[in-house]
């Protein structure tokens, strides 16, 4: 749609820009995914950029709606709009390029909101914003590499700095500079030359900048070159490219102080690569590629309060291709997607090959997050484990949407993470899909589940009235025991569960579980129940003090 040209950049322009960028990335998403070969050929850069901008656009819309509700005809200031855009991008950033884009938008916001609630800015402000954006994004990356989105951002800023005229002229210069830098990326990065493509993240940034030009001038920009034109680097340089990297991508939001984040950067830099930490003012988005996903999450726990943890296994097929146009990454035949209540279990599930979605207490994932996880699994067939009775309808909606996209999805109605563990233990991807689903469903259904938690308020339960601070033992979702002490209550719960028989007890300890409780319960099982084995896992900040499963 044609836009009315304007000579300044204001809150309405921010909203329009976000909307146009989202539309453009939606059109280009699959093409960008198909050329994604760096830093990992996982075929999701376009999708990650789209989701990042979608979150930014939603945040800006919310600010406008809030103003409209408060005062008829009222609109937010430029500062309010760009802060919302930056915050939305930060909390919704996905992948390496999405995280860098979030920092680019944050860098712009820092300049545009520096003078308080300004109504708009002119060409000079936009030039400074683009310059600061490129510089801050480069600083957020532990080891900047040329031939990437960082190079394209720097070229855009440089071109904008030398441009005169109004905001539209500056935006057009930035986009043209970015487009030229994008075309040159295969000369700078061997993996791009070998695959015959330009950088996917840079391609996405050009799309976003083209939307800025359309916002400020009303002109829709011409298409962008995606595939390189012939070899541009030496065979020796291409041969030196590593063929593999870390196995997992770990992303989480982190509430932490600056000093703790500085230490976190140093720690994560020793664990893996593609490290990007963006944000500030107590809220950060952390992205890293590692072999030990659990260690990366634990580092975040030591630094502050991580949440929205996403761990993705790159898979065996995620290797660089050679020669010609790179085809889209081949889908795996089958994958498992699971909702888990704590970072410890996220690591456990991920090591078993599952794609995980972390559910914090009181913050269940939305159906969109589950659909995104199904897409990230990149498989023709997906087994979905919600691991929570209250997520049944959300998971069903996600499964239906994924099926509409051509993915075969089976929803196993697991009501606890311990049932999910049982299902995952019998998962065999080489088996026929229906047989695998039946086996996993049977294993989950044969597992009774319980949890031990502390009551937050007085309430009526099936076991009587509980007071705030009482220890509750819930079996299969209902309160069965009310006690005063955690270990004793857990023992009573375990005895009741094993009274009906069992072969394996699974204990998942939360961070606040008492020291020694696992040893006490293991001893209880060993001494009182013959031929029953016990396994213990640490779930981290999972809400409940203890999860118990009996198969």
């Amino acid at each position: 749609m044609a836009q009315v040209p304007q000579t300044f950049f204001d809150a309405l322009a921010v909203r329009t820009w976000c909307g146009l960028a989202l539309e453009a990335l939606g059109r280009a998403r699959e093409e960008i995914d198909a050329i994604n070969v760096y830093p990992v050929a996982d075929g999701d850069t376009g999708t990650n950029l789209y989701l990042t901008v979608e979150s930014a656009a939603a945040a800006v819309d919310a600010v406008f709606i809030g103003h409209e509700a408060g005062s008829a005809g009222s609109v937010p200031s430029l500062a309010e709009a760009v802060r919302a855009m930056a915050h939305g991008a930060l909390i919704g950033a996905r992948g390496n390029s999405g995280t860098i884009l979030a920092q680019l938008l944050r860098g712009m916001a820092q300049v545009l909101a520096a003078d308080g609630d300004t109504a708009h800015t002119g060409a000079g402000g936009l030039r400074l914003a683009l310059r600061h954006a490129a510089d801050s994004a480069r600083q957020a990356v532990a080891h900047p590499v040329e031939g990437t989105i960082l190079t394209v951002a720097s070229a855009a800023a440089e071109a904008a700095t030398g441009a005169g005229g109004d905001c539209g002229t500056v935006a057009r210069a930035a986009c043209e500079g970015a487009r030229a830098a994008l075309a040159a990326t295969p000369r700078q990065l061997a993996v791009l030359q070998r695959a015959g493509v330009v950088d996917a993240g840079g391609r996405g940034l050009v799309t976003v900048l083209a939307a800025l030009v359309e916002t400020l001038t009303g002109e829709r920009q011409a298409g962008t070159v995606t595939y390189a034109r012939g070899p541009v680097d030496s065979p020796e340089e291409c041969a030196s490219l590593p063929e593999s990297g870390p196995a997992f991508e770990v992303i989480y939001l982190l509430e932490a102080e600056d000093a703790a984040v500085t230490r976190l950067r140093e720690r994560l830099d020793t664990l893996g690569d593609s490290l990007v930490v963006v944000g500030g003012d107590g809220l950060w988005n952390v992205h890293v590629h590692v072999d030990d996903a659990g260690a990366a999450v634990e580092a975040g726990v030591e630094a502050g309060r991580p949440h929205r943890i996403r761990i993705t296994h790159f898979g065996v097929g995620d290797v660089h291709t050679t020669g010609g146009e790179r085809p889209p990454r081949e889908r795996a035949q089958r994958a498992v997607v699971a909702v888990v209540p704590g970072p410890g279990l996220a690591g456990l599930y991920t090591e078993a090959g599952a794609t995980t979605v972390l559910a914090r207490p009181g913050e269940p994932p939305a159906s969109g997050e589950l659909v995104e996880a199904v897409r990230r699994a990149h498989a023709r067939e997906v087994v979905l484990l919600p691991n929570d009775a209250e997520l049944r309808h959300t998971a069903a909606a996600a499964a239906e949407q994924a099926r509409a996209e051509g993915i075969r999805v089976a929803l196993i109605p697991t009501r606890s993470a311990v049932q999910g563990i049982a299902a995952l233990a019998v998962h065999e991807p080489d088996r026929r899909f229906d047989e695998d689903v039946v086996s996993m469903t049977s294993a989950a259904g044969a597992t009774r589940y319980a949890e031990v938690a502390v009551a937050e308020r007085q309430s009526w339960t099936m076991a009587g009235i509980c007071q705030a601070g009482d220890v509750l033992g819930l079996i299969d979702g209902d309160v069965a025991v009310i006690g005063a002490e955690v270990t004793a209550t857990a023992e009573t719960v375990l005895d009741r569960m094993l009274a009906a028989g069992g072969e394996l007890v699974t204990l998942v300890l939360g961070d606040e579980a008492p020291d020694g409780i696992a040893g006490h319960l293991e001893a209880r099982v060993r001494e009182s129940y013959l031929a029953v084995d016990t396994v213990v896992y640490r779930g981290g900040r999972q809400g409940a003090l203890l999860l118990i499963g009996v198969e």
Side-chain angles (χ1 to χ4, degrees):
M1 59 181 178
Q3 301 297 317
V4 177
Q6 57 186 80
T7 59
F8 53 83
F9 190 65
D10 61 3
L12 184 58
V14 174
R15 190 182 199 184
T16 303
W17 180 27
C18 288
L20 289 174
L22 190 62
E23 291 177 10
L25 286 170
R27 293 190 298 269
R29 181 180 62 80
E30 291 186 2
E31 179 185 349
I32 297 173
D33 282 346
I35 64 169
N36 173 202
V37 298
Y38 184 85
V40 174
D42 49 352
D44 63 359
T45 291
T47 299
N48 288 336
L49 289 169
Y50 179 88
L51 292 169
T52 302
V53 173
E54 182 180 48
S55 182
V60 174
D61 283 342
V63 168
F64 270 83
I65 292 170
H67 269 263
E68 291 165 0
S71 176
S74 173
V75 296
S77 66
L78 172 62
E80 289 175 302
V82 294
R83 287 193 194 105
M85 175 182 68
H87 181 73
L90 177 67
I91 65 174
R94 302 291 197 274
N96 190 72
S97 294
T99 307
I100 293 173
L101 177 61
Q103 186 66 9
L104 287 167
L105 297 179
R106 177 179 170 80
M108 291 187 68
Q110 287 174 325
V111 171
L112 298 175
D115 295 330
D117 291 335
T118 53
H120 65 266
T121 190
L126 186 57
R127 280 193 292 267
L128 289 174
L130 291 168
R131 177 75 271 168
H132 184 65
D135 293 343
S136 61
R138 192 170 285 270
Q139 291 166 5
V141 178
H143 302 285
V145 174
E146 298 306 327
T148 65
I149 186 174
L150 295 175
T151 304
V152 175
S154 295
E158 190 67 28
T161 300
D166 59 16
C167 282
T169 304
V170 171
R172 191 183 295 108
C175 186
E176 291 173 355
R179 199 185 302 272
L182 175 67
T185 53
R187 299 188 181 93
Q188 298 171 292
L189 204 53
V191 61
L192 302 179
Q193 184 276 337
R194 191 168 65 178
V197 298
V198 296
D199 178 65
R203 168 72 170 83
L205 179 57
V206 170
T207 301
V208 172
L209 290 173
L212 179 61
V213 176
E214 185 175 355
T215 298
L216 295 171
T217 69
E219 304 168 3
R220 175 167 288 189
Q221 299 297 287
T224 298
V225 173
T226 297
Y227 294 98
R229 301 294 184 237
V232 292
D233 277 316
S234 67
E236 292 78 10
E237 183 178 2
C238 297
S240 66
L241 185 72
E243 287 295 332
S244 61
F248 302 105
E249 177 185 60
V250 178
I251 305 174
Y252 49 82
L253 288 179
L254 178 69
E255 296 174 18
E257 300 298 325
D258 290 5
V261 172
T262 298
R263 293 191 296 271
L264 175 65
R265 290 178 192 268
E266 296 172 355
R267 172 68 177 138
L268 293 178
D269 199 24
T270 65
L271 291 176
D273 58 29
S274 296
L275 174 61
V276 186
V277 181
V278 304
D281 302 320
L283 182 63
W284 309 82
N285 192 307
V286 179
H287 170 281
V288 68
H289 294 172
V290 293
D291 282 320
D292 189 343
V297 174
E298 287 302 319
V301 172
E302 292 172 5
R305 181 171 175 260
H307 51 102
R308 292 197 184 184
I309 300 171
R310 295 185 297 276
I311 302 174
T312 304
H313 190 285
F314 287 128
V316 177
D318 296 337
V319 296
H320 302 301
T321 58
T322 57
E325 296 184 357
R326 176 186 176 271
R329 176 169 64 106
E330 181 67 21
R331 287 184 178 273
Q333 182 59 34
R334 190 173 309 154
V336 176
V337 172
V339 180
V340 292
L345 283 181
L348 173 69
Y349 272 74
T350 303
E351 288 172 7
T355 297
T356 61
V357 178
L358 191 74
R360 294 177 59 212
E363 295 184 20
S367 61
E369 291 183 72
L370 299 186
V371 173
E372 181 206 336
V374 170
R375 292 175 183 143
R376 281 192 286 123
H378 205 65
R380 299 181 182 89
E381 302 166 341
V382 172
V383 179
L384 181 57
L385 306 175
N387 291 341
D388 187 336
E390 295 184 1
L391 284 177
R392 182 182 62 179
H393 296 300
T394 301
E400 193 62 32
Q401 183 174 340
R403 292 183 189 117
E405 297 178 9
I407 304 170
R408 189 180 183 188
V409 181
L411 172 60
I412 297 179
T414 49
R415 294 172 290 174
S416 170
V418 291
Q419 288 189 322
I421 291 173
L424 200 55
V426 300
H427 168 55
E428 292 185 15
D430 294 332
R431 195 161 41 190
R432 287 182 57 245
F433 185 62
D434 291 338
E435 293 177 357
D436 198 28
V437 171
V438 169
S439 179
M440 295 176 72
T441 303
S442 177
T447 302
R448 299 191 70 193
Y449 65 96
E451 67 176 76
V452 177
V454 177
E456 296 180 355
R457 63 184 68 87
Q458 183 188 63
S459 61
W460 291 85
T461 76
M462 293 187 66
I465 300 175
C466 74
Q467 305 295 329
D470 284 347
V471 181
L472 306 181
L474 294 85
I475 299 177
D476 294 337
D478 294 320
V479 176
V481 181
I482 300 175
E485 197 271 329
V486 175
T487 302
T489 303
E491 183 177 312
T492 301
V493 169
L494 187 57
D495 285 339
R496 291 195 184 186
M497 296 178 75
L498 286 172
E503 298 177 357
L504 176 66
V505 172
T506 300
L507 304 175
V508 183
L509 305 178
D511 277 349
E512 298 179 0
D515 294 337
I517 188 173
H520 179 87
L521 295 178
E522 283 183 289
R524 175 68 177 174
V525 172
R526 187 169 55 251
E527 294 166 3
S528 303
Y529 303 95
L530 298 177
V532 177
D533 295 323
T534 305
V535 293
V536 179
Y537 303 111
R538 294 200 169 273
R541 299 181 183 181
Q542 62 183 18
L545 299 173
L546 176 69
L547 301 178
I548 303 174
V550 173
E551 298 179 48

